[in-house]
């Protein structure tokens, strides 16, 4: 059982996804649990302030370190500086500055017992969080989007698919793109001919050896 925590200003962006597969099955099968934590409730003032201007100038606002520190302490029940030393616990900051996420990284994270994802917003997060209280900084690609919620969902979903019993047919995972260093071959379903375009003959031949050969030849290296 892997426990996921997501720290975000917008839990309502994430919650609806958790009601669908693969998350729904992961919960049913006791393979994973998901908890959303609202960063706003860790503001230290009554106005709910969680952001401030960057030192040295620059446009936009940054998420302040105190609310994130307090939330991490609450999530894990101990100071964040201790949490990152615990075996099996990963505390992840989503950031374009991070290490590029891929299937191998998902497989590595799927072995953790608890993963906490910190979603940035605005211009990002005070750098002292990244420098002192996380085990991983992850980027989903070389582009910038408005918040860490979609990146967090990508990470949640890619890991959840790898958990035992979540995808019912084991093959669906082990033969999927990137799992064996290749991209999956093209696949076709009915009808045999669609707008004059026919399914490759070999796939209709019933010759399993030839079909496997064709699949291999059409699965390029990732
Ligand atoms: N000022 C930052 C920069 O130029 O790198 C961009 C901040 S972005 C508008 C706000 C938040 O979205 C980030 O703190 C991060 O959590 C998330 N985010 C945006 N793009 C991302 C990416 N490619 N990978 C992971 N997180 C991303």
């Amino acid at each position: 059982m892997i426990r996921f925590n997501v720290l975000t200003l917008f839990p309502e962006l994430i919650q609806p996804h958790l009601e669908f597969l693969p998350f729904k099955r992961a919960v049913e099968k006791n393979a994973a649990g998901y908890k959303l934590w609202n960063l706003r409730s860790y503001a230290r003032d009554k106005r709910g302030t969680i952001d401030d201007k960057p030192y040295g100038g620059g446009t936009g606002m940054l998420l302040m370190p105190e609310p994130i520190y307090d939330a991490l302490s609450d999530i894990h029940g101990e100071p964040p500086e201790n949490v990152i030393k615990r075996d099996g616990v990963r505390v992840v900051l989503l950031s374009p500055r991070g290490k590029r996420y891929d299937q191998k990284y998902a497989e590595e994270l799927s072995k953790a017992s608890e993963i906490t994802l910190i979603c940035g917003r605005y211009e990002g997060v005070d750098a002292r969080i990244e420098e002192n209280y996380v085990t991983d900084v992850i980027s989903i690609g070389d582009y910038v989007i408005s918040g860490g919620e979609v990146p967090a969902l990508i990470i949640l979903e890619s890991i959840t698919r790898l958990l035992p019993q979540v995808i019912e047919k084991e093959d669906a995972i082990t033969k999927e793109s990137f799992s064996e260093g290749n991209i999956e071959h093209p696949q076709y379903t009915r009808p045999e001919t669609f707008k004059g375009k026919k399914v490759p003959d070999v796939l209709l031949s019933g010759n399993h050896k030839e079909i496997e050969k064709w699949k291999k030849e059409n699965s390029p290296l990732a």
Side-chain angles (χ1 to χ4, degrees):
M1 160 92 167
I2 178 165
R3 271 178 301 159
F4 291 101
N5 303 294
V6 186
L7 179 60
T8 167
L9 278 173
F10 302 104
E12 61 273 30
L13 280 179
I14 297 186
Q15 183 62 48
H17 295 264
L18 301 179
E19 283 151 35
F20 293 87
L21 294 178
F23 307 112
K24 210 173 129 206
R25 183 163 311 121
V27 171
E28 281 164 12
K29 300 273 183 191
N30 242 349
Y34 307 89
K35 198 160 173 191
L36 306 179
W37 301 77
N38 193 333
L39 181 61
R40 185 76 64 190
S41 50
Y42 294 92
R44 290 197 173 176
D45 64 8
K46 285 201 178 110
R47 289 174 48 235
T49 309
I50 40 73
D51 59 336
D52 210 333
K53 291 188 208 115
Y55 282 115
T59 46
M61 304 290 267
L62 284 178
L63 294 179
M64 299 156 79
E66 296 103 322
I68 296 180
Y69 184 94
D70 291 348
L72 290 175
S73 307
D74 205 15
I75 291 169
H76 296 279
E78 63 178 318
E81 54 271 38
N82 297 349
V83 173
I84 55 170
K85 295 184 197 136
R86 262 169 43 192
D87 268 356
V89 178
R90 306 289 280 255
V91 181
V92 176
L93 175 71
L94 282 324
S95 166
R97 288 166 44 82
K99 186 176 167 202
R100 181 82 69 82
Y101 193 63
D102 59 15
Q103 188 69 17
K104 215 163 147 211
Y105 209 157
E107 281 162 17
E108 183 199 325
L109 291 178
S110 73
K111 298 186 178 84
S113 53
E114 183 161 18
I115 300 178
T116 296
L117 301 163
I118 306 167
C119 303
R121 272 275 155 180
Y122 316 126
E123 281 310 308
V125 176
D126 184 292
R128 286 166 288 189
I129 294 297
E130 168 178 339
E131 289 160 2
N132 300 292
Y133 306 112
V134 304
T135 57
D136 301 74
V137 184
I138 297 183
S139 163
I140 55 156
D142 290 347
Y143 42 82
V144 175
I145 57 175
S146 296
E149 288 74 16
V150 170
L153 274 167
I154 288 171
I155 291 171
L156 287 176
E157 185 159 339
S158 53
I159 297 173
T160 299
R161 288 175 56 77
L162 295 171
L163 302 177
Q165 294 185 295
V166 170
I167 303 292
E168 284 179 335
K169 290 186 184 150
E170 179 107 350
D171 257 19
I173 309 177
T174 54
K175 297 213 170 127
E176 215 158 38
S177 293
F178 311 113
S179 56
E180 291 172 339
N182 292 66
I183 297 168
E184 196 173 58
H185 51 81
Q187 300 189 85
Y188 305 85
T189 184
R190 286 195 294 176
E192 256 180 57
T193 305
F194 169 66
K195 292 195 183 287
K197 314 282 180 209
K198 220 175 155 275
V199 172
D201 286 336
V202 60
L203 297 180
L204 308 170
S205 68
N207 183 335
H208 295 298
K209 215 170 144 201
E210 284 302 310
I211 292 174
E212 281 315 308
K213 189 168 159 249
W214 181 91
K215 286 184 175 174
K216 221 171 175 175
E217 284 167 3
N218 286 280
S219 301
L221 284 176

